[in-house]
Amino acid sequence: MSSTRARGADEAPKWLTGAPQPRWFKLLPVAILVLLCLAQLATPESVQLGFFLVALPPVAALAYGPVSVTVLGVLTLLVLSLPYSRHVWYVEAGDLLAVLMVTLLSVVIAWVRTRRDEQLVTVRTVAEAAQLAVLPPLPAAVGRVRCAGLYRSAQRGALVGGDLYDVREGPQGVRAVVADVQGHGMAAVSTVAALLGAFREAVLDEADLAGIAARLDRRLVVDAGPEEHAELFATVLALEFPADEAVVRIICCGHPAPLLLRGGAARELPVDPSPPLGMGLAGAAPPKVVSVPLEPGDRILVHTDGVTEARDAAGTFYPLERRLAALAESVPADDLLGLTEAVRKDLVRFLGRADDVHDDVALLALAPGAHDRAQTAAARHR
């Protein structure tokens, strides 16, 4: 596969969300117990360190299950008896009762935590499967077009937000779409799913990109219909790579223009901007299609405004076009996924930290291969 996603920009450590704890955390209670045992053996019997031992079972409850916490509680009692010639019944009743009660509560906490972690993993697995069904990873190539996508949802814990991209092959060649729907995060996922479904059908049915735009526009208008005064719109950029021509056809509906990497330089591709979709205008006034000739080695980077509208502490917008050529030089020319990752890392550096990326971010890199007229003609006659 040739696409990556993450839950938010750079999320919290996985062990805080139900994943297994790091090894050092699981070894921490045992290490503390050993150190206290050695300290007790090295000090006179009149010096008691039992009050430190009370903290061990609660710490263990964060790392172990109820059985292991019980075993650690028994070991804690044995360490507590060291000043009394290893006779637990000589331990003061208050200390003994405190350790027993804390151990019992820790066992209960460990049991609740393990149950919660199991449920969290199950819910998370189901949620990720559902989100990946909406926006599955891209293959490394679709037809003669190599592709790679990178997605970062603005909402922590989410794989999909308000941006979308897809690349599909149909009778007219390879078609790609990148869109940014109204809103972001999980609230926009239903609109993303609807647009992706409409695009995938339109790739097979529509003869041109204007027809695809009309199909997506109608989908948004229909979905917004049941709600009075509803505003449901999306900026959309659609591209078409015909099988028998070395060109790319583009329509732009309120979306940032794509960038072309050619000869060590980056520039915006010309587009004829139209209003965003969802206003019912695409059918009456179809967006104009712009055709751009392609050369061998060309790469196209399509992005959403979560990239170019990100601002640093001084309020400066991220200058993607100005920095893209240098970023492309830092990765192999055929590594499209590396290119998208280089842009993401540079964006984080520009902003200062990953948490400063407040909008969904989507990047789609495309590299059309050489077309073969003979193969195209043969395919049409099958």
Side-chain angles (χ1 to χ4, degrees):
M1 295 298 175
S2 191
S3 60
T4 60
R5 289 186 186 83
R7 308 162 193 89
D10 273 335
E11 64 174 343
K14 294 182 179 180
W15 62 278
L16 291 179
T17 58
Q21 295 92 346
R23 184 182 299 273
W24 66 265
F25 189 76
K26 301 196 75 170
L27 293 176
L28 182 61
V30 177
I32 294 175
L33 181 63
V34 171
L35 290 175
L36 287 176
C37 181
L38 295 175
Q40 187 67 79
L41 291 173
T43 56
E45 291 187 356
S46 58
V47 178
Q48 298 186 23
L49 302 177
F51 54 89
F52 289 114
L53 295 171
V54 178
L56 274 179
V59 174
L62 299 176
Y64 297 107
V67 175
S68 299
V69 174
T70 302
V71 172
L72 191 67
V74 172
L75 294 176
T76 302
L77 289 174
L78 294 177
V79 175
L80 193 64
S81 67
L82 288 178
Y84 302 96
S85 302
R86 301 174 181 84
H87 294 301
V88 175
W89 50 86
Y90 290 157
V91 178
E92 293 184 9
D95 292 345
L96 184 60
L97 184 60
V99 173
L100 286 174
M101 290 300 298
V102 170
T103 300
L104 179 61
L105 289 175
S106 299
V107 170
V108 174
I109 292 171
W111 180 80
V112 172
R113 182 190 59 79
T114 53
R115 287 288 299 265
R116 184 215 61 183
D117 287 350
E118 291 172 358
Q119 294 174 352
L120 181 61
V121 169
T122 300
V123 171
R124 192 182 191 89
T125 301
V126 172
E128 289 184 0
Q131 292 178 76
L132 290 175
V134 172
L135 193 62
L138 291 176
V142 178
R144 68 180 184 89
V145 179
R146 293 186 298 110
C147 51
L150 183 143
Y151 201 111
R152 292 293 183 270
S153 174
Q155 182 172 332
R156 288 190 180 276
L159 297 178
V160 181
D163 293 351
L164 65 93
Y165 54 65
D166 201 5
V167 184
R168 298 278 164 161
E169 188 173 19
Q172 309 303 322
V174 177
R175 288 168 166 174
V177 66
V178 176
D180 184 358
V181 309
Q182 178 189 14
H184 60 266
M186 294 301 294
V189 172
S190 60
T191 306
V192 167
L195 284 181
L196 283 170
F199 170 74
R200 291 161 185 167
E201 290 293 328
V203 165
L204 301 176
D205 299 336
E206 299 296 338
D208 55 26
L209 291 179
I212 292 179
R215 183 81 69 94
L216 300 181
D217 185 62
R218 185 179 65 182
R219 178 75 270 164
L220 290 169
V221 171
V222 170
D223 287 351
E227 299 182 23
E228 187 177 2
H229 307 301
E231 293 183 358
L232 189 60
F233 61 87
T235 65
V236 176
L237 186 90
L239 306 95
E240 180 180 88
F241 300 90
D244 56 353
E245 296 181 70
V247 300
V248 58
R249 300 188 182 112
I250 308 170
I251 59 168
C252 179
C253 302
H255 201 83
L259 299 173
L260 174 67
L261 279 164
R262 174 185 293 171
R267 64 179 178 87
E268 278 193 358
L269 285 174
V271 295
D272 194 332
S274 297
L277 300 182
M279 303 178 182
L281 303 176
K288 294 182 179 179
V289 179
V290 175
S291 184
V292 179
L294 295 175
E295 298 179 3
D298 283 352
R299 289 169 289 172
I300 297 173
L301 183 70
V302 191
H303 59 89
T304 56
D305 60 10
V307 179
T308 51
E309 292 186 3
R311 291 188 284 185
D312 63 8
T316 304
F317 290 104
Y318 176 68
L320 176 60
E321 182 180 1
R322 193 168 69 239
R323 301 165 80 109
L324 182 58
L327 294 173
E329 291 293 328
S330 66
V331 298
D334 60 348
D335 187 2
L336 297 181
L337 192 59
L339 175 62
T340 60
E341 185 62 24
V343 173
R344 186 197 70 85
K345 290 180 178 179
D346 188 61
L347 175 63
V348 171
R349 284 194 298 268
F350 179 82
L351 298 180
R353 59 194 183 100
D355 287 341
D356 291 331
V357 183
H358 299 302
D359 198 0
D360 299 318
V361 170
L363 295 166
L364 177 63
L366 302 164
H371 67 284
D372 189 323
R373 295 179 184 273
Q375 291 181 1
T376 301
R380 288 179 173 176
H381 285 86
R382 288 175 184 172

